[in-house]
Amino acid sequence: MNQAHSATATAGAPTRAAMPQTDPASERPADRLHALVMAQLDDDQAQDIVSIPLAGKSSIADYMVIAAGRSTRQVAAMAQKLAERVKKEGFGAARVEGLPAADWVLIDAGDVVVHLFRPEVRSFYNLERMWGFGDEKPAAEGAA
């Protein structure tokens, strides 16, 4: 199991492997989009991926995913690839904010909102604490 999946598992959010196997056609679109986002971030070697389920807690989305890249270049590349993949898989065009600086990039894919950070910026804003509803570990844990 790689670092990204272990970070997600320790954060209390289910990983794709931990979810019961179901017929993909019976899954909700939000769950399929979430699985796609998690897989793409894993493929792109995102660090410390945390998924926060928001269904029933907030009306903005069903999931919030937070991850880090090692540099602005990696953050920008992950954001662009993720937005392209979301569109290619038929979930519509995702809105992307913050791409020019790539310190913090927001990808709004509708049912899933993704925040990609450089590690220092992620530590500063600590969205996990703000949105985690007490379930997630602090982003700065072990990094400084």
Side-chain angles (χ1 to χ4, degrees), residues 68-120:
R70 293 179 298 278
S71 65
T72 56
R73 179 179 232 163
Q74 184 189 19
V75 169
M78 287 190 305
Q80 288 174 323
K81 284 179 70 177
L82 181 58
E84 289 169 9
R85 177 96 186 270
V86 165
K87 185 175 181 178
K88 178 183 168 196
E89 296 292 329
F91 291 100
R95 291 181 300 280
V96 180
E97 298 288 335
L99 201 51
D103 286 330
W104 175 2
V105 179
L106 170 75
I107 301 104
D108 182 351
D111 292 328
V112 180
V113 175
V114 182
H115 297 271
L116 300 176
F117 291 97
R118 279 188 314 103
E120 304 80 28

Side-chain angles (χ1 to χ4, degrees), residues 3 7 11 47-50 66-68 117-130 136-144:
Q3 181 182 18
Q47 298 177 327
D48 301 320
I49 302 169
V50 175
I66 303 168
F117 291 97
R118 279 188 314 103
E120 304 80 28
V121 178
R122 180 180 183 169
S123 225
F124 180 79
Y125 287 102
N126 199 358
L127 291 183
E128 291 93 333
R129 182 176 50 84
M130 187 184 319
E136 282 68 33
K137 68 176 177 110
E141 191 172 289

